[in-house]
Amino acid sequence: MAQPYRVTSSGSGRFIPASAPDRSGGSLDRVVGDPGRGRTESIRRVLIELAVADASPSTLAAVWSDEATAGVVVDAAEAHGLASTLHDRLAEEDLEVPDRLVELRRGATARRLAARTSLLRVAEAFDAAGLPWLTCKGAVVAERPERPEHREFNDLDLLVPGARLGEAIEVAAAGGVESVNRNWAAIVEHGVGEIPLVDGSVWIDLHWDLIGLASIRRGFRIDADAMLARRRRLDFHGYDVAVFYAVDELLHLAVHAGLGGGGRLAWLRDLR
């Protein structure tokens, strides 16, 4: 029986198994709703301040004094990848941190540590096999900010040459990383640019192209192999990992956020 797939709701053109977690974000209007104009503006302000800097004590106090408004802020912070930032700002200002926010912070920390371990294991295997590769977005972007624990992510994104995609899957599998794709006909039919893998609790998107679907890819001129050739190496917790050349990274982050509809403030924070 063919495996069901879905196109992610963010509009980015990602084509993934229906069982995969939906990591799409949401606009401020969709998440915040309409709690009243005054409260809506206060919620928007605290979210934007969390994304571009650290929310000021007065901004936090304005929304945290009302339980219903505070609940909406937590929902919105989760949707926009800002839950860890909100958690820490509340703690720093001695404001009450809801249990749900504590759990979100713990979950983000656990995912970051698991993804870091998985990245180092796959990186070592790819290097040993002589495979050109790089990692992008979450794991390495998270190391840039002053407080990397505030950059939340849920998976690993790896890029390999399309001509060596099969070899990359085999090398990863030899290290215990499982391919969860069961519908190669759909992958070929739609020209899917990534293959879903799982390493324990870590979801890995193994890309051979940076645009998810052939129908969307036709509108771009992005040479993934050329970007791989320009890759650089960075120290990542004691291991030398491959990442985009700086300009390529900026362009990729911008395209990724744009194709996602700019739907998460965390994506826009990546571009600062």
Side-chain angles (χ1 to χ4, degrees):
M1 180 176 175
Q3 181 183 21
Y5 275 76
R6 70 171 189 269
V7 177
T8 54
S9 58
S10 66
S12 63
R14 296 186 67 251
F15 191 70
I16 63 177
S19 59
D22 187 349
R23 299 183 295 271
S24 57
S27 69
L28 282 172
D29 288 334
R30 184 169 73 82
V31 177
V32 172
D34 185 21
R37 179 169 179 79
R39 286 199 297 165
T40 298
E41 291 306 314
S42 295
I43 294 168
R44 288 176 183 275
R45 188 177 304 112
V46 74
L47 290 171
I48 291 170
E49 287 189 14
L50 286 170
V52 301
D54 282 333
S56 66
S58 60
T59 303
L60 283 172
V63 297
W64 222 247
S65 59
D66 180 82
E67 184 176 348
T69 304
V72 175
V73 172
V74 173
D75 289 342
E78 179 183 7
H80 287 278
L82 302 172
S84 294
T85 307
L86 176 60
H87 172 284
D88 289 359
R89 285 297 294 124
L90 291 173
E92 289 163 2
E93 296 301 325
D94 292 323
L95 294 170
E96 182 180 359
V97 180
D99 291 342
R100 179 159 159 259
L101 205 54
V102 172
E103 290 303 312
L104 289 172
R105 180 74 162 84
R106 288 174 178 167
T109 300
R111 288 191 298 274
R112 184 173 66 254
L113 294 175
R116 180 187 300 171
T117 300
S118 182
L119 171 59
L120 297 181
R121 180 164 55 246
V122 175
E124 187 173 13
F126 281 0
D127 282 343
L131 266 167
W133 68 278
L134 62 78
T135 185
C136 55
K137 296 194 297 185
V140 289
V141 172
E143 298 300 312
R144 282 203 328 242
E146 182 180 342
R147 301 184 67 171
E149 69 273 18
H150 286 175
R151 177 46 166 93
E152 300 177 10
F153 59 94
N154 298 293
D155 58 12
L156 280 178
D157 288 274
L158 304 174
L159 175 66
V160 298
R164 301 184 69 176
L165 177 61
E167 181 185 354
I169 294 173
E170 291 176 357
V171 169
V177 178
E178 177 187 3
S179 172
V180 295
N181 172 55
R182 300 293 183 271
N183 192 348
W184 285 103
I187 293 286
V188 173
E189 178 185 356
H190 295 278
V192 180
E194 62 191 77
I195 305 300
L197 309 175
V198 170
D199 182 16
S201 64
V202 179
W203 190 272
I204 300 175
D205 293 330
L206 183 64
H207 297 260
W208 62 269
D209 197 276
L210 296 171
I211 305 296
L213 298 175
S215 59
I216 298 174
R217 195 178 301 127
R218 285 191 286 270
F220 293 84
R221 296 181 63 184
I222 298 177
D223 189 337
D225 287 341
M227 295 171 85
L228 266 171
R230 290 191 294 268
R231 69 191 183 280
R232 56 199 170 109
R233 308 288 294 208
L234 290 179
D235 178 74
F236 184 80
H237 300 279
Y239 191 87
D240 197 35
V241 302
V243 299
F244 279 127
Y245 175 65
V247 174
D248 290 335
E249 179 184 46
L250 178 62
L251 291 173
H252 175 238
L253 290 172
V255 168
H256 174 261
L259 287 176
R264 301 189 85 209
L265 289 172
W267 293 342
L268 304 182
R269 182 165 63 177
D270 289 344
L271 297 173
R272 287 190 301 167

